[in-house]
Amino acid sequence: MPTGDQPQRSRVASANDPGCDFPIQNLPYGVFSTAGSAPRCGVAIGDRILDLAAAEKAGLVAASGTFAAPQMNDFIALGRAAWASVRARLTEILAEGATVDLPLVPMAEATLHLPIRVTEYTDFYASKNHAFNVGVLFRGPENALPPQWTHMPIGYNGRASSVVVSGTPIRRPMAQVKGETGPVWSACRRLDLELELGAIVGVPSTMGERVSVPEAEEMIFGYVLLNDWSARDVQAWEYQPLGPFQSKALGTTISPWIVTQAALEPFRCTGAERANPLLPYLKEDRPGFYDLTIGWTMNGQRMGRTNYNVMYYSSAQQLAHHTETGCPMRVGDLLGSGTISGPSPDQTGALLEMTMGGKNPVTVKGEARTFIEDGDEIDLFAYAESTGYRIGFGPCSGRILPAKDRADA
Ligand code: MN
């Protein structure tokens, strides 16, 4: 086999199904446990998980003991050379024809945990369609896109403490919202999702030192699906002048499997057309986006669906901008892409846009919806497709529980 060629098939038969999210070309990392055992690192292959802690113990792979940890941070902190050598070794032992004994666990018997200890969480606003659509609803068409939007990535510093793994229920929040004659205390009436990709920073940067976009590319370990749950009525009342606060702190769901930058590399592509040249510190030396189908379902019904290549700023540009004034980045930093929306309603990544602020209800399994009701389940999906295989992200789901208040409210 010529250097650089990847074996196309795995010894794990289910990984060779063309519709499988986890073929040998993917090898996403996560943290899992089985009945009576502690959480440790694993890699998804077909309908199995390769127990990386056990694999390292058996001498099958070398990662300085980091796979025994209940999060991926320690492995990620080993750096790019370790990422590459472990990926190469995993490809070798999982390939069709390899015969070494493997500690494989059926995924159906495993509980999946948060794959990283989220060090910090920042969320951006990088789809021009989304920024324009939401801007129209909040401020009207004249002021929809703020003047700086096509010049710099806009974001807010979110909460790492409320990031949860797929499958964790989300409680509808109680909050102060705007009533007819003044503020009222109410359960959120406009609960929404945001379809996003989360980039995981794998290499730290130094305080006071800016990183370039090409350097930022080298700092990204991989990506997860990310649902930035949003309380729109809370957001509308609180967001000026400092941006979203409690409307975004109720919970952020991420998928349990981290799809590596290496697995997505064959799908690298350009993003949205630039409205104007960017300042040099935001310029890319190669395309920073991926040809990645991404969408969401509600109670099992297909809703919005678009492609990550509609985005205006890449994760590397967002990361570079994040260090503009010297902010240090750390291993386990999570950067939300911003809601991913195409131009038409069936390509939108939030109900706010899909229903035009609640004016145009959509039908979901025979029921009308403007925003998310109690008991509704939102699932995100994403995959990149090639000949005979696809790089999938697996599930990213959350169900809404009814609001609950303190007895003294
Ligand atoms: Mn968001």
Side-chain angles (χ1 to χ4, degrees):
M1 191 166 48
T3 309
D5 265 18
Q6 301 284 308
Q8 295 300 300
R9 293 175 63 81
S10 172
R11 60 192 287 187
V12 177
S14 55
N16 300 324
D17 179 334
C20 176
D21 274 349
F22 309 127
I24 193 165
Q25 293 88 348
N26 193 347
L27 304 181
Y29 293 104
V31 171
F32 76 102
S33 62
T34 46
S37 71
R40 66 251 190 220
C41 300
V43 66
I45 179 78
D47 61 3
R48 297 285 188 276
I49 299 170
L50 176 65
D51 182 336
L52 289 172
E56 182 163 23
K57 219 171 178 180
L60 298 174
V61 62
S64 307
T66 54
F67 288 141
Q71 31 74 17
M72 291 292 307
N73 299 56
D74 297 346
F75 169 69
I76 295 171
L78 296 178
R80 284 191 85 84
W83 309 345
S85 68
V86 168
R87 181 173 170 83
R89 178 64 181 152
L90 292 175
T91 302
E92 193 183 332
I93 62 177
L94 286 166
E96 190 167 62
T99 52
V100 60
D101 275 344
L102 295 179
L104 291 166
V105 176
M107 203 179 286
E109 291 171 16
T111 301
L112 299 174
H113 304 271
L114 260 187
I116 52 165
R117 185 179 59 248
V118 181
T119 313
E120 312 250 9
Y121 165 48
T122 305
D123 195 41
F124 288 90
Y125 194 47
S127 154
K128 200 174 172 190
N129 305 300
H130 173 75
F132 181 79
N133 293 341
V134 171
V136 169
L137 294 167
F138 277 65
R139 292 178 297 276
E142 308 77 37
N143 303 309
L145 213 55
Q148 83 283 40
W149 197 92
T150 59
H151 299 283
M152 65 158 73
I154 302 299
Y156 67 91
N157 285 304
R159 293 290 301 174
S161 64
S162 54
V163 178
V164 296
V165 74
S166 173
T168 308
I170 299 292
R171 177 81 58 188
R172 177 182 302 276
M174 299 292 304
Q176 179 181 153
V177 297
K178 190 181 180 189
E180 292 292 316
T181 55
V184 294
W185 182 246
S186 169
C188 169
R189 293 166 191 160
R190 291 160 73 89
L191 187 58
D192 203 354
L193 75 140
E194 289 192 344
L195 170 67
E196 305 194 21
L197 212 55
I200 292 166
V201 176
V203 177
S205 70
T206 307
M207 185 159 175
E209 289 181 20
R210 178 175 69 78
V211 303
S212 68
V213 176
E215 285 163 353
E217 276 283 0
E218 299 288 301
M219 290 168 62
I220 295 171
F221 175 70
Y223 294 85
V224 288
L225 284 165
L226 185 151
N227 184 349
D228 179 27
W229 301 96
S230 300
R232 301 299 183 192
D233 41 1
V234 181
Q235 187 179 354
W237 180 228
E238 75 175 2
Y239 86 104
Q240 287 179 317
L242 289 184
F245 185 37
Q246 296 310 299
S247 55
K248 302 282 193 170
L250 63 128
T252 305
T253 302
I254 64 170
S255 53
W257 296 110
I258 305 170
V259 175
T260 61
Q261 189 190 50
L264 290 172
E265 201 53 43
F267 305 93
R268 193 173 276 276
C269 68
T270 54
E273 197 185 331
R274 300 255 165 253
N276 43 254
L278 294 171
L279 290 181
Y281 84 100
L282 285 175
K283 283 202 176 130
E284 297 177 291
D285 63 348
R286 58 177 172 153
F289 301 86
Y290 299 105
D291 178 6
L292 191 63
T293 299
I294 187 162
W296 58 286
T297 65
M298 188 174 197
N299 302 333
Q301 179 174 310
R302 183 65 64 84
M303 302 291 285
R305 179 190 170 101
T306 183
N307 192 296
Y308 177 63
N309 67 14
V310 301
M311 298 299 269
Y312 199 85
Y313 296 108
S314 68
S315 297
Q317 287 175 310
Q318 290 168 334
L319 208 171
H321 182 69
H322 212 314
T323 68
E324 181 189 25
T325 59
C327 175
M329 304 305 292
R330 296 188 284 182
V331 173
D333 251 301
L334 177 65
L335 306 184
S337 62
T339 307
I340 304 170
S341 290
S344 67
D346 64 342
Q347 297 171 333
T348 54
L351 280 163
L352 180 73
E353 289 172 84
M354 187 172 279
T355 69
M356 292 297 287
K359 284 198 292 287
N360 303 331
V362 288
T363 304
V364 181
K365 297 270 171 170
E367 294 179 28
R369 285 287 185 283
T370 49
F371 290 95
I372 302 171
E373 304 284 338
D374 292 344
D376 283 345
E377 182 179 314
I378 303 292
D379 290 80
L380 314 185
F381 63 87
Y383 54 86
E385 279 181 297
S386 187
T387 313
Y389 75 93
R390 69 183 214 173
I391 303 293
F393 278 68
C396 181
S397 72
R399 188 182 291 277
I400 298 301
L401 300 176
K404 188 170 77 176
D405 205 355
R406 288 168 52 125
D408 62 355

